[in-house]
Amino acid sequence: MGYFIGRVVVVTGAGAGIGRQLSIQLAAQGAKLALIDVDQGGLEETVELTGISADSVMISATDVTDREAMGECAAATLAQFGHVDAIFNNAGVLYSGTVEDSDYADIEHVMNVDFWGVVNGSKAFLPYIIASDRGSIVNISSAFGLMAAPGYSAYNSAKFAVRGFTESLRQEMLLHHRQIAVICVFPGGIKTSIARTARVATTLDHSEVVESFEGSIARTDPAAAAKTILRGVERRRPRVLIGKDARIVDLLTRTASSGYQRIIPALKSG
């Protein structure tokens, strides 16, 4: 019997990218789905792509930054399915710009979605997942949650925070609720629309940022990323690295420690 058959799984950011691919693959493996995204049209398209039956899915055009709404969504999920077994806190946004050129509002936007969205999802669904016989909380950080880079201070801050939050939560579950697996995912560059929908500092050309990201950073197909994530969840791995680039970043930060902070500026200025 497959790992996800009959399990009730929540996916945030399910309207596109990794979230959509997670939804498609989870449905194919027999999961029941609660899909969350601010993009109602994207959610409906995802449901159509999954081919899942109407009684096995619910969708909610909820903003993960809205704490009260996330709580209501969690209660509605429990009411519809009777239990909740896992959440994939996947919703995220990207922002490019130096600290000097960035507005506070842009930094706050990234933190609200990428960090507080993870906290809100985890907190809202945690009591129900704890009640599961073998629940999972899966939080999406980034290779930029392992290594910082110039021009991405807001995104780095949020993804480092996701990593710290997730690792602390995992230890709490080991102490008090050992049946719960808490997993932190570190994708490298994934071929999604995240750069096209990203905000950038006024000093940058958005089209150039998109071209750079999609041409030299986004290398891994989101379907392959979703497959790796689901395999990691089945094996209850605390850390899941996605893509060769993420593995290189992990190795670099382990071996060079803070020394990498001199390597990247030297490469960019060279």
Side-chain angles (χ1 to χ4, degrees), residues 146 163 186 239 241 246-258 260:
L146 297 169
R163 174 187 173 186
F186 299 92
R239 171 182 286 206
L241 300 168
R247 294 191 292 273
I248 290 171
V249 165
D250 183 52
L251 178 62
L252 177 61
T253 54
R254 288 173 183 269
T255 55
S257 187
S258 61
Y260 81 84

Side-chain angles (χ1 to χ4, degrees), residues 110-208:
V110 176
M111 290 300 297
N112 285 340
V113 177
D114 292 9
F115 174 62
W116 282 110
V118 169
V119 175
N120 293 341
S122 298
K123 285 279 288 177
F125 286 91
L126 182 60
Y128 309 136
I129 293 173
I130 286 174
S132 174
D133 61 342
R134 200 179 184 206
S136 302
I137 297 175
V138 186
N139 294 337
I140 310 299
S141 179
S142 167
F144 276 8
L146 297 169
M147 180 183 75
Y152 291 96
S153 57
Y155 191 69
N156 285 142
S157 298
K159 294 303 187 177
F160 269 79
V162 168
R163 174 187 173 186
F165 174 81
T166 306
E167 292 179 359
S168 179
L169 177 59
R170 181 171 188 270
Q171 292 174 69
E172 292 171 5
M173 293 300 100
L174 287 171
L175 282 169
H176 304 294
H177 305 285
R178 296 188 67 88
Q179 81 278 16
I180 306 302
V182 180
I183 297 158
C184 198
V185 180
F186 299 92
I190 309 297
K191 296 176 183 177
T192 70
S193 61
I194 191 169
R196 278 168 270 160
T197 58
R199 299 181 184 183
V200 302
T202 56
T203 53
L204 297 176
D205 184 299
H206 185 267
S207 61
E208 290 181 1

